[in-house]
Structure formats: C-alpha cells, structure tokens
Amino acid sequence: MTRKIFYENEEQLEFDAKIIEQIQDGKYWKIVLDQTCFYPEGGGQPADKGTIEGKKVLNVKKEEDNIYHFLKEKIEQTKVHCKVDHNWRYDYMQQHTGQHIISGALMKIGNYPTVSVHQGESATTIEIDAPDIPKNDIFKVEELSNEIINLNIPISSHFTDLEGLKHFTLRRPTKATENIRIIQIEDFDTVACGGVHFTRTGKVGLIKWEGMEKIRGRIRLSWKIGNRAIMDYHEKMEIINNLNVIFSSQQHQLIERIQKLQENQFQITGEKMELENQLSEAIKDKLKTQTETINSNNQSINLIYKEFNNFNPNILKKVMEKLLESENTFILFFNHLENRFNWIIAHSMNLSLPIPKQIQELLSHINGKGGGKPPIWQGIGTKAEGIPQLKESLINIIKSN
Ligand SMILES: [Zn+2]
C-alpha cells in the first residue's frame, strides 16, 4: 500500500520514493511508489500532474489500495525523485479549499446546502438546494468568505470512524463508514472530504462571485477563486480600459454610452431599410418600362432582363420580390462582381415553365453553379460572354411552352 503523503502534509510537493511495481497497460506504464505526494483524481478534484525522475506523469488514479502513476515510459532505477506540478496543484487547492469556505458561508448566511460542486477549468460552480437566492445574500456570502480568508484560520484534517463521527456536526452528511476524513475550518465549517486542502485559509487569496443560473429548479452559483479571480480582474480591467478609450469615457459612463450607440444603430437600420425600400420601388418602376413581351402558345409573358454591377444584393432581392407581385413576369438578373457574377432566374407564381428540367443546360452557357426551386433559382457564374446564349435559350423555353 502506498503511503499517502498528500494526506499527511498536503502542501508538500517534492519527495523521494521507491518504485514498488511497474505494470505495462496499453501504451502506458502504471507505476506504484512506496509513498507519494501525487493526489489521484477523486471528489471532484483532478489528478495531479508533475514528474518522476524528470519523466511526465500523465495521470494518477487510485484503484483499491494502490495509487497508479501513469507514464509513457518505463523507469529503470528503483529510487526516484518526484515533483508535483506546483501551479496546477496550487490552483486546484485554491478552488477546493475556496469551495469549502463558500459552502460554509452559504450555510451560515441563509442555510443554503451545497448539493454538488464542479471544479472546472475556468470557474468553480456550486449547486445549492434552493429554488432562489437574493443577490444580497450572495454578496454577504462573498463578504464572509473573504473575511474567513483574511483571518487566515487553520484548517485541520484527520481520519475517524463511525464512532468518532458522533463528535462532529457535519455541514453535509457523509456516506463513508470507515476511514472518514474530516476537514475542519475551526468552528466555521466541518465536512467529510477526501481532497487536498491548504492548512490555513489565507492561501485561497480571494473569492469573487461571477454569476448564477437556474438549473433543474435549483441555483448554480459560479465563482472565481484565488489567482483565477486576480486573472479575471486583469482581463476585465483590460476590456474596460479599451472601451474607455474607444468611447472617450470613464467606466461609470460606459453602459450609457453603449446604450446610446445601440439606439442610434436601431434608428440607422430603420432609416436604411426605408431608403432601400424606396430605391427598390423606383428601380422596379423603371424596369417595368423596359420589359420584352414574349408570346408563347397560350400566353404572353413579360421578360425583365437586366445586368447590374456590384449592386447591393438586398436591394436586388427586394426589386425581384416587387416585380414578381405582377402576374406573367419573368426575371433574368445578373450582378457582376470582381471575377464572377451572380445570376437570378425567377418568374411569377402563376406561371408554370419547365425550368427545373433545363436549368443545368441553361447554366452550361455561363459556367454557372447554383440552383433553386420554382419560381426562383440563383447562383454564381464565371462566363459572362455566355449570357446572351442563356437569354436566347430561356426565350425559346418560354416560347415553346
Ligand atoms: Zn475538500
């Protein structure tokens, strides 16, 4: 059985050990040491990272009484020097210890029991068994948590059994029946937990509430803890400072400035739509005076053919829609862009023409791609010199219908 230094001295991160066993498991070597500071994953806390004799430890898992260190390669010697990744472990000790403090504060402020915890890569979330929580209570929880950190209260840990458990009032009942590990932040918070924690609250540094959401009728609170809170502050400060420069404002004026900008934007969008409408109406009226009448066997159709250059596609679409409101109308539009052009073939709803059957043949004239369904087809083309042939073929289709 591996001696668990991480429970005896939770802040020790460097140690010497003897290799007891090395087992090849697929592409990994599972190494068992006589003692270890490497915390295996469990209780919501991720496995430690680090090195054994300079070789990377990729994962650490507890299986029954053994703790396996997963490496990519075998280690030749028996006596090894090991190092746990300080930044990784420190971050998760801040998250984990911080979570104990917040959960304790939630109980003290409003009897909000913690039902589940997630230590994510960017935030730590705590789900409480309550349908709601006033913001004022959250601020009180944050304030009390930071007070507990500032008081730098000792955190003790020890193992007990069911009999010994009777001497403690746990914040949350435990299912464990033996080797029950008690984590006590003096008289502030007592809970059964198998994770690793600091020995004093001060190292948690800072706790900042960042948001809440309702999930399955409960509240999930999201927190920035320790260095993550500081990093988050830096990031927010950077954003605010940049916005202050952009808007020539101070941070308390920012919301008002952005709201004004938004109002202006709405107004401009409205005006733009109105102008587009008027313009498309005028273009439609002009195009209606330029129609070619094509007589087929049983009807006469108004063909509107027009080539545009770099024209606004929204307005073009509006023009088309307006023209198609009239019966017996057939549209053939081209909009020339830099190295290609857009094409539109469309007709009024009352017409029935065999365009779907002929579309590929029509497009072959202009090296075109795209498609559609009656009564609108559109796409791109690259062979502008084929446009007259396409028009010719289309007229023939209309005539022979
Ligand atoms: Zn814990």
Side-chain angles (χ1 to χ4, degrees), residues 217-252:
R218 284 178 177 150
I219 294 294
R220 183 189 280 169
L221 299 160
S222 180
W223 304 86
K224 290 281 187 208
I225 302 173
N227 291 338
R228 293 185 187 190
I230 312 274
M231 297 293 286
D232 189 55
Y233 183 84
H234 284 315
E235 196 184 318
K236 287 186 165 66
M237 197 183 71
E238 192 75 11
I239 293 169
I240 296 283
N241 287 347
N242 279 329
L243 286 174
N244 282 340
V245 173
I246 292 168
F247 290 100
S248 307
S249 66
Q250 293 178 323
Q251 75 177 35
H252 69 275

Side-chain angles (χ1 to χ4, degrees), residues 96 100 183 193 195 197:
H96 191 75
H100 278 247
I183 305 297
C193 180
H197 317 77

Side-chain angles (χ1 to χ4, degrees), residues 21-253:
E21 205 181 354
Q22 294 197 68
I23 310 155
Q24 194 164 19
D25 184 358
K27 49 184 181 172
Y28 297 106
W29 283 91
K30 286 161 61 172
I31 295 174
V32 182
L33 303 171
D34 66 334
Q35 54 176 2
T36 189
C37 291
F38 280 93
Y39 178 74
E41 66 180 332
Q45 204 165 346
D48 277 334
K49 293 177 178 178
T51 54
I52 296 176
E53 277 300 313
K55 286 168 182 164
K56 261 192 182 174
V57 175
L58 302 163
N59 201 358
V60 189
K61 276 187 182 173
K62 186 170 178 274
E63 286 169 21
E64 292 175 1
D65 268 339
N66 283 325
I67 292 171
Y68 293 107
H69 304 75
F70 287 70
L71 276 75
K72 269 255 165 80
E73 48 203 318
K74 197 181 176 187
I75 292 179
E76 295 308 327
Q77 66 268 47
T78 342
K79 286 186 176 177
V80 286
H81 186 68
C82 313
K83 280 183 193 172
V84 173
D85 183 320
H86 172 270
N87 291 347
W88 176 265
R89 164 70 88 80
Y90 200 88
D91 175 40
Y92 278 102
M93 278 172 101
Q94 282 191 321
Q95 303 314 308
H96 191 75
T97 313
Q99 178 263 308
H100 278 247
I101 296 171
I102 300 164
S103 289
L106 279 161
M107 281 306 273
K108 288 268 188 298
I109 296 297
N111 267 317
Y112 300 107
T114 295
V115 286
S116 77
V117 174
H118 177 69
Q119 289 165 36
E121 272 185 34
S122 75
T124 290
T125 57
I126 298 175
E127 199 175 314
I128 53 170
D129 188 12
D132 214 343
I133 178 170
K135 257 192 183 172
N136 203 34
D137 274 9
I138 304 176
F139 292 138
K140 281 187 199 163
V141 168
E142 186 183 286
E143 197 181 335
L144 176 58
S145 299
N146 284 306
E147 197 181 311
I148 296 297
I149 293 171
N150 290 332
L151 289 170
N152 202 20
I153 300 172
I155 303 171
S156 61
S157 65
H158 43 263
F159 284 94
T160 189
D161 52 17
L162 275 181
E163 190 54 36
L165 199 60
K166 290 175 186 163
H167 303 288
F168 299 100
T169 311
L170 299 185
R171 166 167 49 80
R172 192 182 171 189
T174 178
K175 284 180 191 153
T177 51
E178 54 182 3
N179 288 328
I180 307 162
R181 191 155 169 271
I182 304 291
I183 305 297
Q184 221 171 352
I185 307 175
E186 289 204 329
D187 57 354
F188 176 72
D189 188 61
T190 308
V191 77
C193 180
V196 277
H197 317 77
F198 291 122
T199 49
R200 280 183 174 271
T201 57
K203 282 190 175 169
V204 174
L206 182 64
I207 281 173
K208 190 81 195 76
W209 171 61
E210 73 163 355
M212 67 188 265
E213 59 179 330
K214 281 192 184 177
I215 188 151
R216 297 180 296 266
R218 284 178 177 150
I219 294 294
R220 183 189 280 169
L221 299 160
S222 180
W223 304 86
K224 290 281 187 208
I225 302 173
N227 291 338
R228 293 185 187 190
I230 312 274
M231 297 293 286
D232 189 55
Y233 183 84
H234 284 315
E235 196 184 318
K236 287 186 165 66
M237 197 183 71
E238 192 75 11
I239 293 169
I240 296 283
N241 287 347
N242 279 329
L243 286 174
N244 282 340
V245 173
I246 292 168
F247 290 100
S248 307
S249 66
Q250 293 178 323
Q251 75 177 35
H252 69 275
Q253 300 167 314

